[in-house]
Amino acid sequence: QVQLVESGGGSVQAGGSLRLSCTASGYTTTRCVGWFRQPPGQEREGVTAIDSLGTTIYADSVKGRFTISKDNAKNTLFLQMNSLKPEDTAMYYCAARRTCVGFSGPASLSTLAYTYWGQGTQVTVSS
């Protein structure tokens, strides 16, 4: 049974930083994983993803500010978020794919590519 557990969310002022973690069990982070977010009243959107080769992709809105990484030895995925803005306020979810086949490039930021989801961690950025 795959379980993904996020942590590290919280409240921060604009310009601040947070580091989210996602620990996986029943799944190896050497495969394809990503981070999504869902602002209040909006649809869930892809933030960033990393594949089995370490190739990363970012949504335009977070490029240069967010960094995805993983520690495969600890089966943990990270999201370093710097220069946070109020519009980054959302519930953040980590997600994992059943297979890395298909959904390459920008499509790897689609929710359709992911089978397993964490419960989410709230990030609130105040101005």
Side-chain angles (χ1 to χ4, degrees), residues 14 47 103:
V47 175
F103 290 100

Side-chain angles (χ1 to χ4, degrees), residues 37-45 89-91 93 122:
R37 67 186 182 186
Q38 188 163 14
Q42 299 184 40
E43 293 187 355
R44 194 170 299 187
E45 61 183 14
T89 294
M91 185 72 79
Y93 300 88
Q122 178 67 37

Side-chain angles (χ1 to χ4, degrees), residues 15-91:
S17 298
L18 283 174
R19 189 192 196 204
L20 306 184
S21 299
C22 172
T23 301
S25 58
Y27 186 89
T28 172
T29 54
T30 56
R31 293 158 70 183
C32 296
V33 289
W35 287 97
F36 289 74
R37 67 186 182 186
Q38 188 163 14
Q42 299 184 40
E43 293 187 355
R44 194 170 299 187
E45 61 183 14
V47 175
T48 178
I50 184 168
D51 69 11
S52 56
L53 299 177
T55 302
T56 59
I57 186 169
Y58 295 90
D60 288 344
S61 58
V62 305
K63 279 181 182 176
R65 300 188 298 122
F66 290 12
T67 303
I68 188 172
S69 62
K70 51 184 178 177
D71 183 338
N72 292 328
K74 297 182 178 179
N75 252 5
T76 301
L77 180 67
F78 301 101
L79 180 64
Q80 178 66 44
M81 304 185 295
N82 298 329
S83 302
L84 282 161
K85 304 175 181 180
E87 51 264 44
D88 294 319
T89 294
M91 185 72 79

